[in-house]
Amino acid sequence: MMIPSDRPLLIGVMGWPVMHSRSPLMHNYWLDQQGLAGSYVHLAIKPGGLAAALRALHPLGFAGCNLTIPHKLDAMTIVDEVDDVAQMIGAMSCVVVREDGSLFGTNNDWLGFLGNLKQQTPGWRADGGPIAVIGAGGGSRAVCYGLLREGASEIRLVNRTREKAEAIAEDLGGPIQVLPWEERHDALDGVATVVNVTSQGMVGQPPLDLRLDHLPKSALAADIIYTPLETPFLAAARARGNDTVNGLGMLIHQGPAAWKLWFDITPTVTEELRERMERSIAGD
Ligand SMILES: NC(=O)c1ccc[n+]([C@@H]2O[C@H](COP(=O)([O-])OP(=O)(O)OC[C@H]3O[C@@H](n4cnc5c(N)ncnc54)[C@H](OP(=O)(O)O)[C@@H]3O)[C@@H](O)[C@H]2O)c1
C-alpha cells in the first residue's frame, strides 16, 4: 500500500500523565515493520489543554492520535464527528485528522479486547456460556460492548458502585444482568469467562477481592490490566488451573484498527512485538 506523499506519518498518544505509555513502542515498531519513516510520540497534555491540543494536530501535521486518561470523555465534545461506537461506549480512544483538518473520533478498545481473546484462546466464544464482568468503569463499557457485539448470551455485571453497572446495562441493552457487589463470588458459578475490568490488582493498588472457588476450572480468566502483566487475580486463576489472558494484548490489538483509519494499512501483531512490550513492562 502506497501512502500519498502528503499524508503525514506523525501520530501520538495524548494523556496526563503519559510518559509511561507503551503505545510509542508499539506504533514505532509497526512504522519500522511497514518501512515507513514516521514517528509516534508521547503528547503530554494537561486536562485543560485538550481542545487546543486536538485542534493543533492538523497544523502540526499529525494523521491522528490515541487518547488515554484523562481525555477519553472530554474529547467527545471537542471533535467534529463522533461515531456510533464511541457514542455507545461513551468514550473515545482514537482521533483521525481528515484532509480538511476536521477531527473524527471513535473507540477501538473493544476491538482490542476481542482481538486479544481470539488470538490468545482460539477456541473462545462469547456465546460459550455466561460471562462475569467485574467492574463498570470506562474499560468495562468497551468490554461489555465488545462482548455484546460478539454475541454474548449472558453477561453478569458486578460493580462496587451498582449505579454505574446499571447505567451500562441501560445504555448498551442486551443480556446484561446487574448483580450486587456482595454477590460477586457467587456470580462466578458456571461461567465460561470472567473478566476483571476494575483497577484492582494494578501496580500500586490492592488485589481484586474476588474468591474463585465457584469458578469452573474450564473457565477463561481475563484481566484488562497489563501493569503488572500478571495480576494477583490472574495468578490465582492460573494456580488453580484456569486459562488466563492478560491486558497487554488489548492494548496491542486496538492498534491495527487505528492504523487502518490513519493510513489504510493493517500492521501485523507479531510475537516479537508482544515480547518487546512484555520486556519493557517487566523492566519497570
Ligand atoms: N488493556 C487496555 O488496553 C486497557 C484499556 C482500558 C483500561 N485498562 C485498565 O483497566 C483498569 C480500569 O480502567 P478504567 O478506565 O475502566 O477505570 P475507571 O473508569 O476509573 O474504573 C475503575 C473501576 O474499578 C473499580 N474500583 C476502583 N477501586 C475499587 C475498589 N477498591 N474495590 C472495587 N472496585 C474498585 C471502580 O468501581 P466504582 O465504580 O465503584 O468506583 C470501577 O469499576 C485500569 O487498570 C486501566 O489501566 C486497560
Side-chain angles (χ1 to χ4, degrees), residues 9 13 16 26 39 49 56 63 67-68 72 75 88 106 119 121 137-138 173 183 195 235 254 261 271 273 282-283:
L9 289 171
V13 53
W16 186 268
M26 174 170 92
S39 204
L67 298 166
T68 187
K72 287 186 166 192
M88 282 291 277
T106 186
Q119 192 189 49
T121 49
E183 290 179 21
V195 193
Q254 53 77 34
L261 293 170
E271 204 43 46
L273 171 61

Side-chain angles (χ1 to χ4, degrees), residues 94-109:
C94 177
V95 175
V96 180
V97 179
R98 293 175 172 140
E99 270 174 32
D100 64 358
S102 64
L103 302 174
F104 166 82
T106 186
N107 190 311
N108 297 322
D109 288 345

